[in-house]
Structures are given as C-alpha cells and as structure tokens.
Amino acid sequence: MTTSSQHPPALGTENPQPPVPTAAEVEDMSVEQRARLAGTLDDVDVVHNQRKWPLAGTRAEKRAERAVALWFVISALTGLAFLLAFVLWPYEYKAPSEEGYLLYALYTPVVGGMFGLSVFALGIGVIAYIKKFFPDEVSVQQRHDGASDQVARLTVTAQLMKAGQDTGIARRKLIIRSAGGAAGILGLGLGVAAVAPLVRNPWKGGDEAALWVTGWRPVNGETVYLRRDTGDPHEVSLVRPEDQAPGSMETVFPFRESDRDDEEALIHALRASDAPVMLIRLRPGQQVVEREGQEDFNYGDYYAYSKICTHLGCPTSLYEAQTNRILCPCHQTQFLATEYGRPIFGPGTRPLPQLPITVNDEGYLVATSDFREAVGPAFWERRYNP
Ligand code: FES
C-alpha cells in the first residue's frame, strides 16, 4: 500500500538525497536495483514488505493459484459462450404465436448474460490474483509537482517488473494461460460483435430492401388507408377529409383491411419507425409550390409528409399553421409545408418525403403509393424515383 502526504518534511529533517544516476547508469542496473532506486528517487519509504509465499511450491500456494485460475477459466468459457451465442443463436424476429419465439426471446438475455459473466469473472480473477499473490507492503511517499524525468520513468517500469517478479507470475503458467485464454476469447468476442453489423447487408432484397420500402407500399393492389392511433391497435379509426380543421396537423399510420384481425401486423404498422406521417390541412388560399413530379401528391389542401426528420430521424411533430412551418425539436430544422417539405432553416438538407394521397370512393383518405424516396436521415445511397 502506498500513501501520500502533501506536507514537505520540516526543514533540517529531510533525508539527504543520494546522487541521481544518469540514464546510462540506470540502463546497466538490474531490475531489483532499479526498483529500489525508484522508491528512493520518489521519496518512498517502504515501511513493510512481505512476500505472500516466501516458500515456493507449497500446497497452499498451488491451491491459491488454482482458485485464481478457476475465475479465468470461467471467464474464458462464458466468453466463448457469448461468442457462440452472438454468432449462432437465432435472432430473427418471431411473433409470440410462432414456433421458435422462446429461443428468439432468449437471444438478448443469453448474449448479455454471458458477456456480463465473462467480464465479471475476469475482474474477479484479477482481484483474486492481486489479493493472493501481491506482497503485503506499506509505503509512505512525499508528493512532488510536475512530470517525471527519464530516470524516474525507467525506474518506475522496473518497479512494475519487480512487482511481477515478486508475485512469481513468470512461473505461474496455469494463471498465465487461463488469464490469457479468458482475455483472448473475450477480446475475440468483442471484435466479432464490433464487426458483425458491417457484415449484414441492409440492401439485401434489392428494390424491396427494408430501407427502400415502408408500410405505405400497396401490396397486390390493396388499398392503404390513413388511420389514427387510438391506443388500441384493433380500434381502427380511418380518416375522412372533413374530420380535420383547416390549419391543423394529425399523425396517421397505414392500415390494410387484410391486417384487421392480425394483431402483429396492426401493431407493426403503428410502431414501424418509418410509418408515421403528418397529415396537414393548410388554411384556405395558401400559396403552394409543388415539387416537380409531385404535383398530384396532395388532395386539395391536404398534404402528407413523413414525420421522420431528414436530419437525424427525430419526429418533426410541431406544425405552426401561421407560417406553415414544420419544426423538428431536436436541432430546430424547419421545413415548409407549402413547399414540398423543403428545409428552410437548421441542419436538415433534404425535404421531408411526401406521401401521395387521395380520397377513395368511400370518402376515406388513402395513399396512392409508397414514398418515392427513402424516409429518415440521408445516407450515401439515397435516390429519388420521380
Ligand atoms: S433530427 Fe431533426 S433537426 Fe436534427
């Protein structure tokens, strides 16, 4: 143990400082000599120092060694389990009613649990090693200012090496191997976890890839209605134009009749990150600039824009009817509802994707197609399909 004091020794009571050897002289010293010198130069008084195992190779020492190694072995095994679970465990989403749901539901607890156990056992192993093999030492040191010089650095390194020698680490092969195995396997697992997201291809599926299509895409010609979220996925509240007052905004989600009795599909349509759309009814007589190729995307004064900010993906929930601005609260990008969702202030650079809408024979607002560009923050493969 080393303790420090900020108070310099009283005048006339300091120990006379030994001459400081040159770096070349220190290079020629043994590790033992350097370690002793380090203490002297740092004003360290070693009051007590006793090796834990003065007699090498006793049964008690071997038992202590095995106890430490056991923690490293546990760390290595759980690290291996973490690696295998991360790579092989079925992680694809399964609904509660589907076969394989239990395995899917266990993916995160198993991966997280094994990783946590591995780190925990590794930490306990290090602590146990220090407690069982580091010498009992009490030292007192005077604190000094400024950076250490070259001699101090060399001698401190020697002190660390000597500490290693004192614990007999060089001859404790069991601990070296188990600790090396644990650190290596855990490190490998972390490396795989870091690289794995780069291996999965988000563009798998070509034009049907999840980044290109949203829940608004009509499948087999089925009508996609605009619906409200009432809090109950089964309570389907469709939107009619007369429901909305001029100068107001409402958040809507996609709905298909074929999903009506499918709880999973209903919840997914309400929760999918690219699904929310702001349905805005402008005040009458507003001057509107349409984007080329999107002249028929609106229904009268009704305009539908993706609610996902094109800057970093926050919900752009604030609509100011007086100025027709849509405000994202995260970094204050402002989009103009009367100019195809064009950003006019803040860090966002792309317009909010506009959903083409109309009113069907039954008088409900419906989407006529999916968005023509990717929803959310811009990315380097962004494209626009006029
Ligand atoms: S996420 Fe909307 S402005 Fe940054």
Side-chain angles (χ1 to χ4, degrees):
M1 185 183 75
T2 301
T3 58
S4 300
S5 162
Q6 286 180 296
H7 306 293
L11 277 180
T13 61
E14 309 96 323
N15 294 328
Q17 287 295 313
V20 177
T22 63
E25 286 171 329
V26 176
E27 299 268 13
D28 291 338
M29 289 181 179
S30 67
V31 169
E32 188 88 29
Q33 288 170 320
R34 284 190 199 177
R36 208 175 311 122
L37 177 63
T40 311
L41 293 177
D42 260 359
D43 274 346
V44 174
D45 271 340
V46 180
V47 181
H48 168 80
N49 182 300
Q50 185 178 4
R51 288 193 174 204
K52 280 277 169 54
W53 308 100
L55 279 181
T58 60
R59 288 172 70 178
E61 184 191 11
K62 287 205 159 62
R63 232 183 358 257
E65 191 170 353
R66 281 196 297 274
V68 172
L70 180 65
W71 282 109
F72 290 133
V73 170
I74 292 173
S75 175
L77 291 177
T78 46
L80 186 63
F82 157 66
L83 179 59
L84 292 177
F86 185 83
V87 175
L88 302 176
W89 199 277
Y91 63 87
E92 298 282 359
Y93 175 73
K94 296 270 189 258
S97 52
E98 280 182 278
E99 196 181 331
Y101 171 74
L102 183 64
L103 275 183
Y104 159 74
L106 285 174
Y107 175 76
T108 302
V110 167
V111 169
M114 290 302 111
F115 176 72
L117 262 180
S118 184
V119 173
F120 176 76
L122 190 63
I124 294 289
V126 171
I127 292 169
Y129 177 69
I130 290 170
K131 283 183 84 79
K132 288 185 188 297
F133 293 101
F134 267 57
D136 288 328
E137 182 173 303
V138 177
S139 304
V140 180
Q141 180 184 29
Q142 304 299 328
R143 183 176 287 175
H144 62 80
D145 298 328
S148 305
D149 57 24
Q150 173 71 1
V151 170
R153 283 179 218 160
L154 282 169
T155 50
V156 167
T157 314
Q159 268 185 321
L160 293 174
M161 288 169 64
K162 183 171 177 305
Q165 286 173 359
D166 286 350
T167 64
I169 187 66
R171 63 188 167 82
R172 301 192 195 288
K173 301 290 182 230
L174 183 62
I175 290 182
I176 291 178
R177 287 190 192 123
S178 56
I185 292 174
L186 188 59
L188 183 65
L190 288 177
V192 169
V195 171
L198 303 175
V199 175
R200 285 185 204 148
N201 180 7
W203 312 112
K204 203 165 127 193
D207 286 346
E208 302 295 302
L211 285 171
W212 293 134
V213 298
T214 75
W216 293 99
R217 183 178 59 133
V219 180
N220 300 327
E222 188 177 2
T223 302
V224 182
Y225 294 89
L226 278 60
R227 69 165 289 187
R228 304 178 179 88
D229 183 3
T230 59
D232 176 2
H234 292 286
E235 187 188 0
V236 179
S237 170
L238 301 180
V239 183
R240 291 176 180 274
E242 56 270 29
D243 296 343
Q244 201 166 341
S248 68
M249 185 274 279
E250 181 168 27
T251 303
V252 292
F253 303 86
F255 170 73
R256 296 177 176 77
E257 273 302 336
S258 58
D259 290 345
R260 189 174 281 277
D261 298 321
D262 184 343
E263 183 163 350
E264 277 299 314
L266 288 171
I267 291 176
H268 181 73
L270 291 171
R271 300 286 176 267
S273 55
D274 52 7
V277 158
M278 290 176 291
L279 178 65
I280 293 173
R281 182 175 180 186
L282 301 177
R283 287 171 299 133
Q286 299 299 300
Q287 196 73 31
V288 174
V289 177
E290 308 281 9
R291 189 175 182 178
E292 196 183 330
Q294 297 187 170
E295 293 86 352
D296 58 351
F297 275 25
N298 58 305
Y299 175 76
D301 288 337
Y302 295 82
Y303 288 77
Y305 295 107
S306 165
K307 193 169 183 166
I308 309 303
C309 182
T310 53
H311 177 226
L312 291 179
C314 286
T316 54
S317 302
L318 307 173
Y319 171 58
E320 193 181 53
Q322 290 300 317
T323 58
N324 288 313
R325 292 182 184 202
I326 302 163
L327 174 71
C328 177
C330 283
H331 313 103
Q332 280 70 53
T333 295
Q334 294 179 20
F335 304 89
L336 212 47
T338 46
E339 284 193 35
Y340 53 87
R342 181 174 72 85
I344 52 169
F345 178 84
T349 55
R350 288 172 53 218
L352 293 169
Q354 188 174 350
L355 185 73
I357 54 170
T358 188
V359 169
N360 71 356
D361 300 342
E362 309 159 281
Y364 291 116
L365 280 157
V366 298
T368 58
S369 80
D370 201 351
F371 297 101
R372 294 201 182 164
E373 57 196 312
V375 166
F379 51 90
W380 61 279
E381 281 176 298
R382 187 174 73 82
R383 65 180 181 181
Y384 176 71
N385 300 327

